[in-house]
């Protein structure tokens, strides 16, 4: 009998050790700190496996070890100086000027707009009760422009799909687009750019409280290529309560889009799958670029069990009917992410590549995230001169190559981001180096004198991270 109890004890301990090893292996492959992993498991047990949720408090205990990293000030986008919309920006006046000061006049001007016209909005509030279609086309030499006279003083209150643009060569500048709906599903987009609406410029605007503020997609075999989304501020004042997509920059099946120098923050979603992205390009698109953007998944809105991701080529994938030319297999080809700063996405990755062929990730800073995922066999990526907290992970056949990156794992037991020790105040987005480069940077793949770093300086020599100068341009309380 004594031997029976002895060997029973040995077997029980071996079984427990096996369970712990499997658990440790699972955490290792996910690349998550123990507290974050424990929080995810506890939430999953309570929602999906209530019959065994009695063990969730054990995981809560491990989750309590977390040392949080977050933006610990109130962020006022109207006073923010740096990436995103600038309050002192003034649109250039050119072409035929149409000045409007009320909603009816604005609708009339939009419906009858002609190439070369600039529709200037006086300070005020312009309310639209439903989606408004715009079918008038500009030209390359004479685009149609919709501009606000002063930033933060021209407000468009929108519902549904907002302004639905179906024609090319439009420009939007200096306008505050605001979702004005009783339910979040009633405020899908601010600008929906579809079909023949190519060569669109969206510059120095703010977008607030939409599921997908900027939506771009094909229509009946036509695709709105060559768009530029530059220097905009995009955010939400509460987590999106929707089971549908919640991605401020949602670009599907359109080629050669450039998303540059935008500030995107507070992108959480707390309904459905609770997965959101700051921005993605997908749907068999090619030539897409994310550069010089500042992304904070969490700023004013903190906490929660949501999965808010930073930037992505591929997003969550695309249905066959929505892919460019109906071609499936890859989500993007030749996409570039460079000189972006992505931070405070603590529950998931800062960069996600999903069936993203020949991607280049160069000179990005990814702080307080799980890291980078390269997923599925169609995905291939070259990472050069990036600074990344967490890890770079191949999933389900994805492949990547590394060249002169600084990759620092978060502390396994507390989740503390060890990149804190390299920068002045990274939680406040001050990435001034406090020491010499710990890694010798490689030659830039795009250093042709035409590429600017995060701070707007032309690239002249190799550098590590998102800026090339001696000092960082964004410091708390200062104007760069």
């Amino acid at each position: 009998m004594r031997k029976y109890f002895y060997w029973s004890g040995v077997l029980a301990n071996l079984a427990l050790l096996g369970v712990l090893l499997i658990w440790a292996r699972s955490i290792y492959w996910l690349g998550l700190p123990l507290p974050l992993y424990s929080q995810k498991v506890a939430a999953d047990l309570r929602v999906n496996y209530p019959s065994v949720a009695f063990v969730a408090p054990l995981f809560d205990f491990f989750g309590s070890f977390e040392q949080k990293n977050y933006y610990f000030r109130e962020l006022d986008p109207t006073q923010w100086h740096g990436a995103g919309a600038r309050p002192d920006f003034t649109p250039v006046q050119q072409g035929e000027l149409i000045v409007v000061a009320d909603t009816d006049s604005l609708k009339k001007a939009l419906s009858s707009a002609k190439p070369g016209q600039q529709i200037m909005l006086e300070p005020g509030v312009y309310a639209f009760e439903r989606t408004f279609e715009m079918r008038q086309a500009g030209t390359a030499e004479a685009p149609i422009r919709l501009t606000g006279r002063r930033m933060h003083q021209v407000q468009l209150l929108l519902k549904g799909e907002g302004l639905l643009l179906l024609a090319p060569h439009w420009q939007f500048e200096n306008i505050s687009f605001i979702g004005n709906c009783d339910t979040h599903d009633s405020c899908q987009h601010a600008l929906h750019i579809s079909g023949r609406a190519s060569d669109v410029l969206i510059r120095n605007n703010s977008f607030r409280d939409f599921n997908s503020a900027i939506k771009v997609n094909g229509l009946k075999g036509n695709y709105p290529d060559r768009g530029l989304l530059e220097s905009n501020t995009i955010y939400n004042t509460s987590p999106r309560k929707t089971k549908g997509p919640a991605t401020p920059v949602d670009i599907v099946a359109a080629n050669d889009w450039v998303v540059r120098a935008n500030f995107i923050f507070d992108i959480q979603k707390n309904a459905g799958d609770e997965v959101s992205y700051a921005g993605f390009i997908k749907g068999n698109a090619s030539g897409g670029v994310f550069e010089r953007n500042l992304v904070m998944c969490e700023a004013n809105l903190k906490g929660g069990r949501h999965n808010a991701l930073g930037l992505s080529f591929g997003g969550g994938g695309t249905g066959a009917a929505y892919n460019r030319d109906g071609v499936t297999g890859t989500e993007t080809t030749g996409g570039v992410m460079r000189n972006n700063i992505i931070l405070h996405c603590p529950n998931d990755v800062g960069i996600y590549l999903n069936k993203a062929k020949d991607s280049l990730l160069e000179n990005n800073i990814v702080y307080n995230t799980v890291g980078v995922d390269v997923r599925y066999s169609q995905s291939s990526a070259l990472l050069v001169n990036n600074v990344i907290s967490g890890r770079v992970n191949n999933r389900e056949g994805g492949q990547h190559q590394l060249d002169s990156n600084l990759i620092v794992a978060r502390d396994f037991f507390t989740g503390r981001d060890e990149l804190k020790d390299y920068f002045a105040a990274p939680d406040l987005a001050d990435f001034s180096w406090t020491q010499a480069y710990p890694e010798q940077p490689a030659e830039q793949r795009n250093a042709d004198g035409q590429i600017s770093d995060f701070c707007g300086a032309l690239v002249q020599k190799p550098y590590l991270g998102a800026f090339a100068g001696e000092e960082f341009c964004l410091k708390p309380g200062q104007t760069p």
Side-chain angles (χ1 to χ4, degrees), residues 264-304:
I264 306 171
F265 68 95
D266 285 343
I267 65 168
Q268 298 94 320
K269 170 183 169 182
N270 66 357
D273 60 9
E274 297 191 340
V275 175
S276 59
Y277 301 80
F280 57 56
I281 300 174
K282 64 177 188 175
N284 190 33
S286 65
V289 176
F290 287 104
E291 63 181 4
R292 300 175 53 207
N293 299 287
L294 176 63
V295 172
M296 289 189 203
C297 294
E298 297 183 2
N300 294 333
L301 306 178
K302 300 175 180 68

Side-chain angles (χ1 to χ4, degrees), residues 107 127-133 157-163:
K107 291 179 178 179
F128 290 74
E129 294 303 318
R130 59 184 62 85
T131 302
F132 187 86
E133 292 188 7
L157 307 185
L158 301 172
K159 299 180 186 294
E161 297 182 44
L163 303 183

Side-chain angles (χ1 to χ4, degrees), residues 23-33 37 40-41 349 370-371 373 391 393 395:
W23 184 38
R25 182 177 182 275
S26 173
I27 299 174
Y28 173 79
W29 283 111
L30 286 172
L32 300 177
Y37 177 86
K40 286 179 176 288
V41 171
V349 293
V370 174
D373 273 357
R391 82 294 185 270
N393 191 26
R395 297 174 58 190

